[in-house]
Amino acid sequence: MNSQYAVAVHVLSLISQFPEHSSSADMALSVGTNPVVIRTVAGQLRRAGLICTRQGVAGASLTRPAAQITLLDVYRAVNGEGSVFRLHERPHPNCPVGANIQATLETRFGRAQAAMEAELARTTLADVMSDLVSRAG
C-alpha cells in the first residue's frame, strides 16, 4: 500500500471540515504534496462516488454525510478490491518451501486482510473528524 490512502483520508477530512477551501492547491498545502497528487486522488474518490467536483470550478463536496463514509470505502476507492498482501508468482515447485509457501501464506494473509477490512469498516470519516477536532483542541 502506498501513501495515497492516507492522502485520500486527509483530502476527505479537509473537504468535510473546510468545503469552501477545497481547491487542489489548498489541499496540497495541507497534505504537503503537489496539487497533481491531490487531483489524482480526488479523481479516484470521485469515481468511487465519495466526492463530487465540477470541472473548471475549484472545490469539492462529500456525496454523503461523513458518518456514512467508512475508511473501508476510502481504502477501496484508492486500492480497489485487491489485497494489501501480495504473493510472489513463481516459487520453485520442487522446493519444499516453494511448493507450499503460497497456500500457507494465503490463509494467513486472508485472515489479516479480513481483520483489517473489518476495522476499516467500523471506522467512519466522522470518527476521524471527531478525533481530529479533539486533537486540535
Side-chain angles (χ1 to χ4, degrees):
M1 186 179 348
N2 60 32
S3 65
Q4 278 189 326
Y5 177 59
V7 170
V9 175
H10 193 140
V11 164
L12 289 170
S13 299
L14 287 168
I15 292 169
S16 180
Q17 182 83 16
F18 307 107
E20 66 282 357
H21 298 292
S22 59
S23 73
S24 58
D26 290 338
M27 289 189 274
L29 285 173
S30 178
V31 174
T33 192
N34 189 293
V36 172
V37 172
I38 301 302
R39 286 191 289 274
T40 298
V41 169
Q44 293 171 316
L45 297 171
R46 186 182 61 254
R47 284 187 293 282
L50 299 177
I51 64 171
C52 58
T53 59
R54 294 187 338 196
Q55 190 169 357
V57 177
S61 59
L62 301 177
T63 58
R64 56 188 190 251
Q68 294 176 9
I69 297 173
T70 69
L71 293 186
L72 182 58
D73 296 328
V74 182
Y75 173 80
R76 288 184 174 154
V78 297
N79 293 302
E81 295 289 327
S83 175
V84 69
F85 302 103
R86 306 258 192 273
L87 295 171
H88 53 295
E89 294 187 19
R90 292 182 290 278
H92 197 287
N94 294 331
C95 171
V97 173
N100 297 291
I101 192 70
Q102 288 186 322
T104 298
L105 292 178
E106 269 181 358
T107 300
R108 282 149 183 89
F109 287 0
R111 286 195 304 253
Q113 181 77 26
M116 179 194 73
E117 289 185 9
E119 178 61 29
L120 296 178
R122 281 191 292 275
T123 307
T124 68
L125 183 58
D127 297 328
V128 171
M129 297 306 302
S130 176
D131 192 45
L132 287 170
V133 167
S134 69
R135 289 174 187 272

